[in-house]
């Protein structure tokens, strides 16, 4: 009898733990974004399966406050982001950030922090390269990988 009730407690405990872990997992994917593993190629064409947070085309004015800690690729294309105020250096494995088609007007507004794994930072179609008769100029920055 004692054994059975201990086993029951254990099962309930495990179930609760699983639920809590599952809930934390879900909470850490920002609302409306899609978090999933996707194929990814580095600038030197190395294939990876990368935990990806896809927040493209959501009308966002800010970066989500917190992204899952295993995030490697953050897609924020086609939003209204004008400033990045919270550094992303809590994400140790981040390799690509896509900020193209946003409302950034100056590199100094992009405060992403120190990201040693970053290989690509896309910022085309913002307002950064202000040319006299073509404000929506094309900008593209690629950080060349140093270790392959
Ligand atoms: C970062 O990547 C390494 C190697 O793939 C992995 O062992 C580690 O758990 C990752 N870190 C996070 C926070 O996911
Ligand atoms: C883009 O930023 C400018 C200021 O730099 C602001 O006036 C404008 O309303 C912003 N546009 C959108 C769509 O957020």
């Amino acid at each position: 009898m004692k054994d059975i009730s201990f086993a029951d407690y254990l099962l309930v405990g495990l179930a609760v733990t699983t639920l809590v872990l599952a809930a934390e997992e879900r909470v850490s994917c920002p609302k409306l974004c899609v978090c999933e593993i996707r194929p990814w190629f580095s600038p030197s064409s190395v294939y990876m399966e990368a935990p990806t947070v896809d927040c493209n085309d959501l009308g966002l004015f800010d970066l989500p406050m917190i992204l899952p800690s295993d995030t490697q690729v953050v897609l924020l294309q086609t939003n209204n982001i004008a400033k990045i105020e919270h550094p992303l250096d809590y994400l140790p494995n981040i390799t690509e950030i896509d900020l193209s088609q946003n409302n950034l007007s100056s590199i100094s507004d992009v405060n992403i922090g120190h990201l040693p794994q970053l290989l690509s930072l896309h910022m085309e179609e913002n307002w950064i390269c202000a040319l006299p008769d073509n404000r929506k100029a094309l900008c593209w920055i690629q950080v060349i990988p140093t270790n392959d």
Side-chain angles (χ1 to χ4, degrees):
M1 202 56 174
K2 231 174 192 163
D3 282 350
I4 289 166
S5 69
F6 175 73
D8 285 348
Y9 276 119
L10 192 62
L11 278 179
V12 169
L14 286 174
V16 168
T17 308
T18 310
L19 279 178
V20 168
L21 288 177
E24 276 175 4
E25 203 67 34
R26 243 175 285 125
V27 165
S28 64
C29 187
K31 215 169 117 187
L32 304 177
C33 302
V34 175
C35 300
E36 61 189 9
I37 307 284
R38 290 195 189 162
W40 186 82
F41 289 91
S42 79
S44 53
S45 298
V46 177
Y47 175 81
M48 266 196 254
E49 302 210 321
T52 299
V53 180
D54 181 343
C55 308
N56 284 345
D57 202 7
L58 293 177
L60 300 180
F61 288 89
D62 293 298
L63 216 68
M65 276 304 282
I66 188 138
L67 299 172
S69 62
D70 65 349
T71 301
Q72 286 183 29
V73 176
V74 186
L75 306 176
L76 291 156
Q77 204 181 81
T78 320
N79 283 292
N80 294 319
I81 297 169
K83 210 173 172 113
I84 296 190
E85 288 169 292
H86 303 286
L88 292 169
D89 43 18
Y90 63 94
L91 302 170
N93 289 345
I94 197 154
T95 50
E96 174 168 336
I97 303 172
D98 188 346
L99 285 165
S100 52
Q101 298 182 7
N102 274 280
N103 197 20
L104 300 163
S105 50
S106 160
I107 294 278
S108 62
D109 289 338
V110 181
N111 175 24
I112 53 177
H114 175 63
L115 307 173
Q117 304 291 329
L118 192 68
L119 297 174
S120 304
L121 174 60
H122 298 267
M123 299 204 289
E124 57 268 51
E125 294 185 64
N126 278 277
W127 304 89
I128 293 170
C129 299
L131 304 173
D133 290 307
N134 182 12
R135 289 192 58 195
K136 216 166 182 185
L138 189 79
C139 304
W140 200 79
I141 292 179
Q142 183 178 348
V143 184
I144 305 297
T146 51
N147 53 357
D148 69 7

